[in-house]
Amino acid sequence: MKLIPAIVRDANSGEVLTLAWMNDAALQKTMESGETWFWSRSRNELWHKGATSGNTQRVVHIAHDCDDDALLISVIPSGPACHTGARSCFEGVPPRMLDRLLETLRDRREKRPAGSYSASLFEQGRDAILKKIGEEAVEVIVAAKGEGRDRTIAEIADLVFHLSVLMADEGLDWRDIESELAKRAR
């Protein structure tokens, strides 16, 4: 029986959730059911992810690698992927840049360190944050109208930064935004 590795990732965030093994039967059941099935090497049998825990994974897309000997499965998880109860089986993976930014901004909002630009925005309140978003949006438009690619990138980064300040102030996460975009893609 040929087993191939199946890398499972969150379809919205791209986060790698687990690495499991599939044979032809597991892949077939996955495609038929729309939920992940794997081959358990320890039990030597097929298993439906979440059959006992309820932590199923709805399959959004299956991609084969260039040699057709590995799979990348994008899923919408309904709970943790790891048998330990962790969201992902992988620990210590550095967060994405936007997640790191939001984490830093939440810290600045909570601790308000002296000399911090973002802390000063939180101190000034929501109106100051919204004003900066408006200013940065205009600067994106101006840059895109003729100031070149590098300037446009810089201004978009400024806008995303200030939108992230608003998100931290509102208690939002990038997953909230990704989920909304995913709904619109359907």
Side-chain angles (χ1 to χ4, degrees):
M1 165 185 15
K2 178 183 171 192
L3 293 178
I4 61 171
I7 302 162
V8 181
R9 71 174 188 162
D10 185 303
N12 291 323
S13 70
E15 178 184 13
V16 174
L17 301 175
T18 194
L19 169 67
W21 296 91
M22 285 187 154
N23 60 9
D24 289 337
L27 181 57
Q28 186 64 36
K29 282 202 164 276
T30 295
M31 291 188 302
E32 288 171 359
S33 70
E35 292 185 345
T36 54
W37 284 75
F38 302 109
W39 180 259
S40 171
R41 295 178 300 164
S42 61
R43 294 188 312 258
N44 203 33
E45 66 184 14
L46 284 175
W47 61 279
H48 176 210
K49 172 65 179 129
T52 55
S53 67
N55 299 327
T56 58
Q57 299 170 336
R58 184 171 58 84
V59 175
V60 174
H61 187 261
I62 299 174
H64 297 260
D65 78 336
C66 59
D67 295 324
D68 205 25
D69 60 1
L71 299 170
L72 178 62
I73 304 175
S74 298
V75 302
I76 305 293
S78 65
C82 188
H83 71 282
T84 65
R87 177 171 165 72
S88 171
C89 293
F90 297 94
E91 294 182 19
V93 176
R96 298 175 303 165
M97 181 63 221
L98 291 175
D99 292 327
R100 284 196 336 249
L101 171 61
L102 207 46
E103 189 176 303
T104 299
L105 291 170
R106 286 187 192 113
D107 184 68
R108 296 291 194 277
R109 184 176 187 273
E110 180 185 325
K111 295 178 182 167
R112 311 278 171 106
S116 164
Y117 170 69
S118 51
S120 72
L121 284 174
F122 292 124
E123 283 292 331
Q124 294 172 55
R126 180 66 63 95
D127 286 346
I129 295 168
L130 297 175
K131 182 179 179 206
K132 280 304 295 180
I133 290 171
E135 290 170 4
E136 296 302 337
V138 169
E139 290 176 15
V140 167
I141 293 166
V142 170
K145 289 286 289 175
E147 293 185 357
R149 176 179 164 79
D150 289 344
R151 186 74 183 148
T152 301
I153 290 170
E155 293 302 340
I156 290 172
D158 287 347
L159 178 58
V160 169
F161 173 85
H162 288 90
L163 287 169
S164 299
V165 171
L166 174 62
M167 289 171 62
D169 196 53
E170 185 65 28
L172 298 174
D173 192 87
W174 282 109
R175 288 196 179 127
D176 299 319
I177 308 309
E178 291 163 343
S179 292
E180 178 62 25
L181 291 171
K183 283 187 230 172
R184 295 176 185 192
R186 290 185 194 122

